[in-house]
Amino acid sequence: MQPRSLSTRLLVSVSILLILFFGVTILALDFVFQDLARRAIQDRLEVQVVALLSASEEDSSGGLRPDQLAEPRFDNPGSGLYGEILRSDGLPSWRSKSVIGTGIVFPRVAVGERRFGELQRADGSTVLSLSMGIEWQFRNGVARPFVYSVAESLDPYYAQLNRLRGRLFGWFGALMVMLLAAFTVMLRRLLAPLRRVEHEIEAIEVGDLTELGTGYPRELLGITTNLNALLRSERERLARYRNTLGNLAHSFKTPLAVMRNLLSGQGRELPVARQLDEQVGRMDDIVKYQLRRAAASGGTGLGTAPVDVRDALEALRGALLKVYVERRLTCELSVGEGCVFMGDREDLTEIAGNLLDNSFKWARTTVRITADRVVSPAARRDGLRLVIEDDGPGIPVESRAKVLERGARLDERVAGQGIGLSVVRELVNLNGGVIDIDQSALGGARIEVKIAPV
């Protein structure tokens, strides 16, 4: 599983923050609206109570009733506005026609008391009511307590609240989308230098560039400058290392050749001469082995172009067919489409060349070479699978680990220093691969090299 990009992480983080911020804002606005709406309803109810008081007149039964109602909704059943004047004995002195059938029971309160709260109608809906206790002095001087109550349905309030909530979610949702779109555009511009670094590093890996370009922001200047210095230092170090070893090999070559010529004279059969000749041969093998090992790039792929596997293998096959022309061997080659080696060409030549040379030495009639890509969706570069088979005697199971050691040879009668497969093993390991020895369908050895994708 690939890690998420910085852009994705930033967008997710900003989205969460915006959701939290807008969520808190919506809750705050919702609370403020509810509080203001209830206060507005309470103010209207107080106005209705005062209007009932102003319109109240004494009746013949010693009660009170409004003479002329300023609000016609009191006389309209189901209008949502309800009123009542309650006597001290608990009987209504007056009830609006709108109360009929609602099941609303107004509370009884003491003189001078005001009670504001919710009441339930018979159908389960809610009304907001205000009850006020007063003392009325009649013309005959008698004072009696009354409770004036009015109520208003909350259905319009809830409908308005739902509309407001819908609009808030719509407005803030659209605003969040616009902010995220603007942030995405800004983020792409801000992270463009990082994407440029990534593309240039990929170009360095495939050999199109040798180092990063210039013109980066100040925050990335230290990284790009140090990385370029590291790349130059690595190239110079590798070149110096190879040149030094090449010079060392040439320096050793002449003295070793002179010593062998001297030992090949008349005194070659002497015991001391045979021992010296053996030690000179060992020195020659060590120099060759260390020189091949040091020539490996290590699979970094920095600054090198992809190697066409077909071209490299065809060149090796042609050269070996000329070397072993007297044996009249057949070499079959099968390479998959678009098969490349993401590394140093010398590494591939050394790996395939040593394996093919061994197969040509041991094969009776046929050598088979197969190469194809190793693809992984999570990798940036393809790997390589190289299989070399022959119809020779094969490699016994108990000897397969031994032949990969330096200097190991299964048959001393076959020419060679016994360092080829050990060099292959080290080069494969340096390139992040594995080597496997098995029995071929042709009857001989089957050696598979697999370089994993990265």
Side-chain angles (χ1 to χ4, degrees):
M1 181 178 179
Q2 287 185 321
R4 286 183 305 209
S5 65
L6 287 176
S7 301
T8 303
R9 292 182 180 182
L10 287 173
L11 283 175
V12 170
S13 301
V14 171
S15 299
I16 293 174
L17 289 176
L18 287 177
I19 290 173
L20 291 176
F21 173 75
F22 288 145
V24 172
T25 303
I26 289 173
L27 288 176
L29 292 175
D30 184 78
F31 174 78
V32 170
F33 174 79
Q34 291 188 55
D35 183 65
L36 292 176
R38 284 180 173 268
R39 288 179 181 273
I41 295 174
Q42 184 176 1
D43 291 341
R44 290 200 301 270
L45 293 178
E46 289 181 351
V47 171
Q48 295 296 340
V49 170
V50 172
L52 286 178
L53 280 171
S54 302
S56 295
E57 296 287 343
E58 301 174 9
D59 58 17
S60 57
S61 62
L64 297 175
R65 58 188 311 106
D67 184 20
Q68 291 182 350
L69 294 174
E71 179 57 68
R73 286 190 294 166
F74 283 121
D75 290 331
N76 185 10
S79 64
L81 183 62
Y82 316 100
E84 180 184 77
I85 302 175
L86 196 65
R87 298 190 308 188
S88 58
D89 57 4
L91 297 176
S93 177
W94 171 83
R95 298 190 77 184
S96 66
K97 294 179 181 180
S98 58
V99 179
I100 299 173
T102 60
I104 297 174
V105 179
F106 290 100
R108 299 180 64 181
V109 297
V111 176
E113 184 184 354
R114 297 162 57 116
R115 184 177 300 176
F116 179 74
E118 293 184 358
L119 299 176
Q120 295 292 323
R121 295 196 309 187
D123 59 2
S125 60
T126 307
V127 297
L128 209 55
S129 70
L130 174 64
S131 298
M132 183 185 302
I134 65 162
E135 189 175 61
W136 186 279
Q137 187 173 9
F138 289 84
R139 295 187 183 91
N140 58 8
V142 177
R144 295 187 184 133
F146 291 89
V147 177
Y148 278 73
S149 299
V150 291
E152 185 174 330
S153 174
L154 289 179
D155 291 343
Y157 159 75
Y158 285 126
Q160 190 176 8
L161 180 61
N162 290 332
R163 286 196 301 271
L164 175 68
R165 288 174 176 172
R167 290 178 180 177
L168 286 177
F169 280 110
W171 293 336
F172 283 112
L175 181 59
M176 187 176 73
V177 170
M178 289 189 293
L179 287 176
L180 286 177
F183 185 76
T184 302
V185 174
M186 180 183 68
L187 200 60
R188 287 185 63 84
R189 292 182 59 86
L190 290 176
L191 295 181
L194 291 179
R195 286 193 295 274
R196 179 188 166 195
V197 170
E198 180 185 9
H199 295 156
E200 290 189 354
I201 289 177
E202 291 176 353
I204 291 173
E205 289 178 342
V206 300
D208 293 339
L209 293 176
T210 57
E211 58 183 46
L212 299 177
T214 59
Y216 282 99
R218 183 177 56 200
E219 291 79 5
L220 296 178
L221 197 58
I223 296 176
T224 56
T225 302
N226 292 334
L227 185 57
N228 282 336
L230 179 62
L231 291 171
R232 287 192 292 268
S233 174
E234 181 66 17
R235 286 196 302 271
E236 293 171 359
R237 184 195 65 79
L238 185 59
R240 185 169 60 251
Y241 191 32
R242 287 177 171 175
N243 290 335
T244 301
L245 286 174
N247 294 335
L248 181 63
H250 285 294
S251 300
F252 271 107
K253 184 182 294 185
T254 300
L256 289 175
V258 171
M259 293 172 66
R260 281 199 161 174
N261 288 333
L262 292 175
L263 292 173
S264 65
Q266 297 179 353
R268 182 178 178 83
E269 299 301 324
L270 296 176
V272 174
R274 287 198 300 271
Q275 293 178 5
L276 289 174
D277 186 52
E278 180 181 350
Q279 296 303 316
V280 169
R282 290 187 60 189
M283 292 171 63
D284 192 29
D285 290 347
I286 291 172
V287 169
K288 290 179 179 179
Y289 171 76
Q290 295 296 340
L291 189 60
R292 287 183 178 182
R293 185 172 176 228
S297 68
T300 61
L302 293 179
T304 59
V307 181
D308 190 304
V309 175
R310 180 180 296 277
D311 290 345
L313 294 181
E314 284 182 347
L316 288 172
R317 181 180 67 167
L320 288 171
L321 286 174
K322 292 178 181 178
V323 172
Y324 295 93
V325 63
E326 72 281 355
R327 298 188 58 192
R328 299 181 179 179
L329 298 174
T330 299
C331 183
E332 303 173 1
L333 177 62
S334 174
V335 181
E337 187 69 25
C339 189
V340 296
F341 175 67
M342 302 301 297
D344 191 85
R345 188 182 186 89
E346 294 298 326
D347 289 1
L348 178 61
T349 303
E350 197 69 32
I351 292 171
N354 279 291
L355 295 178
L356 281 174
D357 186 56
N358 281 334
S359 292
F360 271 82
K361 286 177 182 177
W362 293 99
R364 294 186 178 94
T365 60
T366 306
V367 175
R368 179 188 296 163
I369 313 168
T370 306
D372 50 29
R373 296 188 301 165
V374 179
V375 182
S376 173
R380 292 184 300 166
R381 299 185 295 176
D382 294 341
L384 172 66
R385 188 177 73 94
L386 180 66
V387 180
I388 296 180
E389 306 170 85
D390 60 67
D391 61 349
I395 302 175
V397 177
E398 63 275 9
S399 303
R400 289 173 184 174
K402 179 183 176 182
V403 296
L404 296 177
E405 299 176 1
R406 183 171 67 88
R409 295 165 61 191
L410 296 182
D411 192 342
E412 298 293 335
R413 294 171 298 176
V414 179
Q417 295 86 19
I419 63 175
L421 288 180
S422 64
V423 171
V424 171
R425 183 196 62 188
E426 292 206 18
L427 286 175
V428 170
N429 290 337
L430 286 173
N431 283 274
V434 292
I435 183 171
D436 181 65
I437 301 177
D438 204 347
Q439 187 74 19
S440 170
L442 299 176
R446 178 185 185 274
I447 301 181
E448 177 179 339
V449 173
K450 187 174 182 180
I451 309 296
V454 293

